[in-house]
Amino acid sequence: MPSKRHANFELLRIVAMLMIIALHYLVKGNVAAPYAESHSGVNYAAWLVEAFCIVAVNCYVLLSGYFLVESEWKPGRILSLLCQILFYSLIVPAAMICVGMISWGELGLYDWIGFLLPIETEHYWFATAYLFMYLFAPVLAAGIKKMEKKTLQKVIVFLLLFFSAGKSVLPVSLATDRYGYDYGWFLCLFFVAAYLRLYGCRWLEEKQHGFWLYVGACVCIFAVSAAAGLLGDKVKAFAYYAEMPYTYNHLLCLFAAVGLFSVFKKMRIREGRAADMIRRIAPYTFGVYLLHEHILVRYEWMNWLQVETVRGSFLFLPHMLWCVCVVFLAGILVDFVRAWLFDKVVSGKRV
């Protein structure tokens, strides 16, 4: 019998996707405005929430690296992911045209090229970076297992120095810094996750240590950003650095993600309905991302859910929770239907 998925890690997958929706609500909905535009209490509260959610993408990648280093590499998984991505990339514009939300004339040739080639055009930047990481996974896993522990530690240190440490302390823009929006950073996270899987971290064996690492790093992200935002009114260089702690490859963001990952790693969920429900929902979370981050939808769903009505008000907190739940549930339902259709096609049964 195949082993069941770990409910604790599947719960982290769900929580990470909820956080990702919240991030998009705050930034793309302009609820968390640049400090240069607002120093209100509401804006600071929005950036504080952002600080505790910014770990989501790193956690998602850490989950993959943690299991890929020991699991069998499956080419069919790449085909499955490509089909899933293409489904959303093409079905969303088709559906919006059918219901009259947009017209054929509004979409040009370049738009359709983007829909047909979502990986090459980075329609979904995360999907592009993740697929490249998955392609390299068997090579990385084999190499990591051949390394001695000290050698792996040195490799991780050099990777972090290049991808993370420099940009984390220097208040200048580096040409090689893509803020974690690329497969290079994902490969770095793969090494970190592989190390945690193979050797662990003695200090993080205590659940409370992981919790405080997460909370402490998130508070530092907010504090450093807020301080830089205040100083940015006087020194322009600090204005640039105000948003830098909120980039995925910042050291504080990495530490926070490792802390939260460790909390869920140590979590034990009793077998029963709750664990089964978590395992049932988690596989559809990627579909939530593909639906609400489609280029025709990513800025529109904030308008559909009337985010502008709560900007500048602490009412954004309950409204954000409601919007996150609506988007998440809609994405889960759509991806459930997508998975059902794919299963029918693969099995050759009539829909």
Side-chain angles (χ1 to χ4, degrees):
M1 293 290 292
S3 60
K4 289 184 177 180
R5 287 175 174 264
H6 301 274
N8 54 331
F9 287 120
E10 295 302 285
L11 180 59
L12 177 57
R13 199 182 305 277
I14 293 171
V15 171
M17 186 51 63
L18 292 170
M19 287 179 167
I20 287 170
I21 301 170
L23 290 173
H24 295 157
Y25 175 99
L26 291 167
V27 176
K28 295 179 180 177
N30 201 31
V31 176
Y35 289 117
E37 298 178 11
S38 174
H39 287 291
S40 68
V42 174
N43 199 43
Y44 280 108
W47 282 109
L48 181 60
V49 175
E50 177 93 357
F52 278 87
C53 292
I54 197 64
V55 301
V57 170
N58 285 350
C59 284
Y60 228 96
V61 182
L62 286 173
L63 278 169
S64 297
Y66 188 82
F67 288 103
L68 284 174
V69 73
E70 289 282 19
S71 63
E72 179 186 358
W73 188 77
K74 301 176 181 178
R77 175 61 177 157
I78 296 176
L79 180 60
S80 176
L81 280 171
L82 284 172
C83 289
Q84 185 179 8
I85 295 165
L86 278 170
F87 174 84
Y88 283 96
S89 182
L90 294 171
I91 204 68
V92 168
M96 293 179 75
I97 289 172
C98 289
V99 299
M101 296 179 70
I102 58 175
S103 64
W104 280 102
E106 294 180 63
L107 300 175
L109 177 61
Y110 183 79
D111 295 312
W112 285 106
I113 291 175
F115 300 151
L116 288 167
L117 301 172
I119 300 300
E120 293 83 350
T121 59
E122 287 196 324
H123 184 142
Y124 300 104
W125 75 264
F126 178 89
T128 300
Y130 183 85
L131 275 173
F132 273 103
M133 184 196 73
Y134 193 87
L135 285 170
F136 281 106
V139 178
L140 294 175
I144 288 170
K145 290 177 182 178
K146 291 289 185 180
M147 291 183 191
E148 294 182 356
K149 182 179 178 180
K150 288 186 177 179
T151 303
L152 180 56
Q153 289 173 338
K154 292 175 182 177
V155 170
I156 291 174
V157 168
F158 280 115
L159 286 172
L160 291 180
L161 285 172
F162 179 79
F163 283 104
S164 186
K167 62 83 54 72
S168 296
V169 297
L170 298 174
V172 294
S173 179
L174 301 176
T176 56
D177 183 20
R178 293 199 62 191
Y179 311 128
Y181 291 91
D182 62 342
Y183 65 89
W185 176 241
F186 280 25
L187 296 182
C188 186
L189 290 173
F190 187 100
F191 273 87
V192 173
Y195 183 89
L196 292 174
R197 178 67 182 270
L198 297 176
Y199 303 108
C201 177
R202 184 176 299 177
W203 186 78
L204 289 173
E205 288 303 309
E206 290 289 336
K207 186 188 299 185
Q208 61 185 17
H209 289 174
F211 173 78
W212 288 116
L213 177 61
Y214 166 63
V215 173
C218 290
V219 170
C220 287
I221 289 172
F222 170 73
V224 171
S225 175
L230 288 171
L231 293 171
D233 294 337
K234 299 178 180 179
V235 182
K236 191 174 182 181
F238 284 106
Y240 158 80
Y241 201 72
E243 295 184 7
M244 194 52 58
Y246 289 93
T247 52
Y248 300 132
N249 61 341
H250 195 281
L251 279 178
L252 287 174
C253 188
L254 173 62
F255 293 155
V258 170
L260 187 61
F261 179 85
S262 299
V263 170
F264 279 86
K265 179 176 178 288
K266 301 297 293 182
M267 184 183 294
R268 295 294 177 263
I269 299 176
R270 294 180 60 183
E271 291 299 328
R273 291 184 178 179
D276 291 339
M277 182 62 70
I278 290 169
R279 293 190 186 99
R280 180 66 171 165
I281 294 174
Y284 303 118
T285 53
F286 189 53
V288 176
Y289 165 76
L290 294 175
L291 178 64
H292 88 278
E293 265 297 280
H294 192 282
I295 196 168
L296 297 179
V297 177
R298 66 180 56 159
Y299 292 103
E300 291 301 317
W301 66 266
M302 286 86 168
N303 295 327
W304 300 337
L305 298 178
Q306 300 180 327
V307 175
E308 72 278 359
T309 62
V310 295
R311 288 195 192 112
S313 167
F314 280 107
L315 289 174
F316 86 85
L317 289 168
H319 187 265
M320 179 185 68
L321 292 174
W322 177 75
C323 289
V324 168
C325 290
V326 169
V327 172
F328 183 80
L329 290 174
I332 292 294
L333 290 173
V334 172
D335 203 57
F336 177 83
V337 174
R338 190 272 316 161
W340 178 79
L341 289 172
F342 278 25
D343 183 62
K344 294 296 183 182
V345 171
V346 172
S347 63
K349 296 179 181 178
R350 296 177 115 190
V351 177

